[in-house]
Amino acid sequence: MNNDTVLCLNNLSKRFGTIVANESVSIDLKRGEILSLLGENGAGKTTLMNMLFGHYMPDSGSIQVANVQGELAPLTLGHPQAALNAGIGMVHQHFTLAENLSAIDNILLGSESLFAWRRSMGAAREKINSIMLRTGLNAPLDTIVGQLSVGERQRVEILKALYRDARILVLDEPTAVLTPQEADTLFANIEVMTKDGLSVIFISHKLREVLAFSHRIAVLRHGKKVGEIATKEADEKIISRLMVGADTPSTPKEVLDVGAPVLQLIDLCAPGTSARSSLVRANLTVCASEIVGIAGISGNGQSTLAKVISGLTRPTSGRLEIDSEPVLTYTPASLLNAGVGRIPEDRHHDGVIGAMSVSENLAIERLDSSDIQKNGFLRKKKLKLNAQKLTQKYDIRGPGIESETRLLSGGNIQKLILARVFEASPKVILANQPTRGLDMGAVSEVGKRLLQARKRGAGILLISEDLDELMALADRIIIMHDGELHTAPSHDRAQIGLIMAGEIS
Amino acid sequence: MEILEILLSENFWAAALRIATPLIFGVLGALICEKSGVLNLGIEGIFAAGAMAGWMAVWLGADLWTGLFFAALTGAFFGFIHAILTVPLGLSQHVSGLGITMFATSVSYFTYRTALPQVSSPPRIEPFQPLDIPILSDLPFLGPVLFQQTAMTWLALFLVALVWWVYNRTPLGQALRAVGDNPDAADAQGLSVYGLRIGAIVAGSACMALGGAFLTMSAFDAFFFGMVNGRGWVCIALVIFASWRPGKALLGALLFGAFDAFQVRLQTEVGAFLPSQVFLMAPYILSIFALVIVARRAEYPRALLTPWFKGQR
């Protein structure tokens, strides 16, 4: 074995009940290397890394990690403490930070002896400062984490690992929450660190950054490693074929004539959860047969915008017009009746009622219509027919139309919501993060359906954090920053990124 | 004005501090549990068990401090049951807590009746006596208010300072706060979430039991049925009032103590016009008002009531 190798995963397998999350996966990592782990959702990337870090106990297989002298030694499995001691640091997709503690307290957490009567942080502070200086990862150390921005929190996470002398750093979808510029800075920092001998595994499903920043790519599909390729020899086509197992057909976008305005916000102000996310005199027009994309980092007013259009938040001033009719009462029902179809951001929580059956969820937005109920009683037969038709048409798979909806996978729940929305032929469709967390097959399905609705003449407001998706689907892109709407001058990635970060407007 | 006279009297403030003492123990205990992310509604029963165990140990011949130790041990035992049910098993914290309350209360009454089947007037013990500190006790106003309390009041005040120090100045405190906010964060840093939570519940419950022991070993000198009388529930409310901070917890307990001491005195002043129940109600109603005003801004431990399981995320 080459003594440049710092990590060997040997034939790791893990099942959850009957589901095979990983099957005999072997990966090795060299000193100073950036390996990216690619795969669709549910391919087993995160499970694999959680086994490496000791969160999960593998059913079989072993892990070897190089010690300080560079010799490979077996790692005790199932203990985060063992992984930390072996020099493995992990930055989870959902940050593992205590928000009620300061940044430095989070970094030191668990590294001090618990039963000391007081803390001496001088030496620790010095060490962190020198790490920040060397890597360029800066974060305000004495601020409570709850008050830090997402980018700062991520840097605290990485500092946490480096403070524990991590020689192997695992990043789980590190750029999901960053602007393109922040992501570039992050990768620049990572490159500096690899020069110092740090090895990095990063999980991603953004092909662009994988191709730009990694040295080697390993692809997982259905829990198995299906390919490994040096980045210089790879291109998007090869990788996506490895990930999906087939070429994904991309639906070409037809050129359509834009119709009359169907959704208009006129000088609309609405309160959000914070000042940043409140709408300030927002003006926006969506016309028939048009997809308007809303880009921006989450928390800049997208949710407030979606809530107003869904009837969940009452604007404090200004007007909202649907199909040139001003909205007078802001309730979900009144907007639904005005012709708004909604694909909510949190599909499990706001999109379906998990404890109710698939057929009930498919009909839940029009319970008062006469083909669903009669004299206050549900017409079970109609409900069933409706469900049979729609599950077939939209390819909703699961344990059956009478089973609980929560048993469906995320992709199938989204298809259920699409079926419910599109069958009502709404004039306006609000699609809030419609592809978040879906695999490539489901993503292309959502895109196809949105384009179909556009062709039918619906006006679509597509809110997304995925710029590639907006570029592919939207006719116009509008960027939200601090609750304000800015029209993107063109489909130019760098320009959009700068507006997202509030650098230019 | 009579009300002003009441508020300025040494007697009133001494009573307020005395009434507050069991609440200080209780609210600290609840705070320690909740800061780690676990609600302990067993408090009402643990108060009864502490009152019973402490008193019985002394009645059987132990000295007062050994009695306190037994009270704390009893609390720790019931806390441990709650901890096992709610932490590794992840059961409903409400259900388990209420179960502990009923269980601990009944066991205490049962033990008392088994030991003393036929007594109509409960046997008395020699309780903690006021600590008479030379010079300080003779200070005007402060002397009677502060320096004629029993050793248990001093223990309660010392615990407030200790808990504050642990949560703000020690690595253990940081770890306990982290498991109450984001157990995943603690786990990812190699800390034992189960260990920290179980430890916190056991320690917090021991502290609650001391509050109960105060009733039989300092405030009174015997054990009665129903003597806890909702003090545990008041503590649960006071933790929210205190926004999970030890200093504010002390303040909250004193405030309640003052309300209670005040209503007793008001009863003798204007008792002729109003039924006495109105006065008994007053501290609770005032506490609800205080809670409504303060609790909206309270900073909850984010992981409170959320079970955490190893290997699931």
Side-chain angles (χ1 to χ4, degrees), chain B residues 61-97:
Chain B
D63 67 68
L64 286 167
W65 291 100
T66 314
L68 272 192
F69 173 75
F70 272 107
L73 206 64
T74 311
F77 167 74
F78 286 109
F80 186 70
I81 299 177
H82 184 59
I84 294 301
L85 292 174
T86 54
V87 180
L89 297 178
L91 302 177
S92 161
Q93 297 175 8
H94 290 104
V95 175
S96 167

Side-chain angles (χ1 to χ4, degrees), chain A residues 16 50 53-56 78 80-81 84 92 95-101 105-110 112-119 160 164, chain B residues 35 162 165-166 168-182 184-191 196 301-302 310-313:
Chain A
F16 294 105
N50 277 335
F53 196 66
H55 286 310
Y56 295 153
Q81 188 71 56
L84 282 169
H92 294 274
F95 297 149
T96 52
L97 294 169
E99 290 183 15
N100 57 351
L101 301 182
D105 286 337
N106 266 287
I107 294 170
L108 297 188
L109 191 67
E112 303 162 287
S113 154
L114 274 187
F115 300 102
W117 273 108
R118 43 197 294 265
R119 311 170 68 202
K160 216 164 83 174
R164 293 282 191 104
Chain B
K35 259 189 146 22
L162 179 72
W165 179 269
V166 167
N168 291 290
R169 288 286 183 274
T170 71
L172 178 65
Q174 304 296 309
L176 287 168
R177 285 166 67 179
V179 287
D181 185 80
N182 185 354
D184 285 335
D187 181 53
Q189 290 289 73
L191 295 168
L196 284 164
R302 276 194 310 149
K310 191 161 179 57
Q312 272 182 30
R313 36 185 55 242

Side-chain angles (χ1 to χ4, degrees), chain B residues 45 48-49 52 56 74 77-78 81 99-114 223 225:
Chain B
M52 171 66 211
M56 176 144 304
T74 311
F77 167 74
F78 286 109
I81 299 177
I100 294 288
T101 281
M102 287 189 257
F103 178 49
T105 309
S106 321
V107 165
S108 310
Y109 292 177
F110 177 72
T111 314
Y112 178 78
R113 262 297 161 235
T114 315
F223 180 81
F225 294 120

